[in-house]
């Protein structure tokens, strides 16, 4: 059974936060930005898999396999592409409208690679 309805609208950052944060979260937040973007700032608990690697046929990280995926990027464009690609591969995936820019603007936490306050460039 899918966590997301077929044809569902994109998730807002608040919906994404609700579905992916905490120990009992029903979905994994999958960040598809490139390494430099990820290093500067990402959501705590997110899993990293750059769109470039996924598009080249790369596998999902172990923590994201066989789980519902909430896909996020900087602004929402790459996450749409990634979600479509993942759905075509049979994954249960939906993307986040507004991406990490909206995530940070909504006051949700952003951390760098060391766990300190991060930034979205």
């Amino acid at each position: 059974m899918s966590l997301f309805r077929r044809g569902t609208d994109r998730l807002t950052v608040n919906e994404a936060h609700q579905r992916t944060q905490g120990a009992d979260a029903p979905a994994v937040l999958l960040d598809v930005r490139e390494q430099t973007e990820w290093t500067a700032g990402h959501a705590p608990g997110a899993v990293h898999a750059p769109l470039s690697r996924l598009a080249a046929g790369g596998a999902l990280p172990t923590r994201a396999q066989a789980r519902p995926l909430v896909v996020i990027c900087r602004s929402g464009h790459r996450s749409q592409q990634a979600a479509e690609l993942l759905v075509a591969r049979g994954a249960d995936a939906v993307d986040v409208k507004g991406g990490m820019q909206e995530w940070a603007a909504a006051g949700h936490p952003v951390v760098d690679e060391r766990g300190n306050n991060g930034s979205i460039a």
Side-chain angles (χ1 to χ4, degrees), residues 15-101:
E15 291 168 327
H17 185 267
Q18 179 182 18
R19 294 181 187 192
T20 62
Q21 300 301 295
D24 295 333
V28 171
L29 186 63
L30 182 70
D31 192 320
V32 296
R33 296 174 302 145
E34 295 303 317
Q35 184 65 46
T36 55
E37 297 170 289
W38 167 265
T39 300
H42 55 272
V47 174
H48 186 224
L51 175 58
S52 59
R53 184 174 31 171
L54 293 173
L60 286 169
T62 303
R63 284 186 38 221
Q65 293 177 6
R67 297 278 316 275
L69 303 170
V70 174
V71 185
I72 198 164
C73 67
R74 181 176 180 265
S75 64
H77 180 72
R78 286 175 284 178
S79 61
Q80 266 189 303
Q81 293 176 326
E84 290 171 5
L85 178 122
L86 292 165
V87 166
R89 291 184 187 174
D92 186 9
V94 65
D95 79 296
V96 180
K97 185 172 87 174
M100 286 300 297
Q101 289 176 324

Side-chain angles (χ1 to χ4, degrees), residues 13-18 21 43-44 100 102-111:
V13 293
N14 291 331
E15 291 168 327
H17 185 267
Q18 179 182 18
Q21 300 301 295
M100 286 300 297
E102 290 288 327
W103 179 278
H108 298 305
V110 176
V111 296

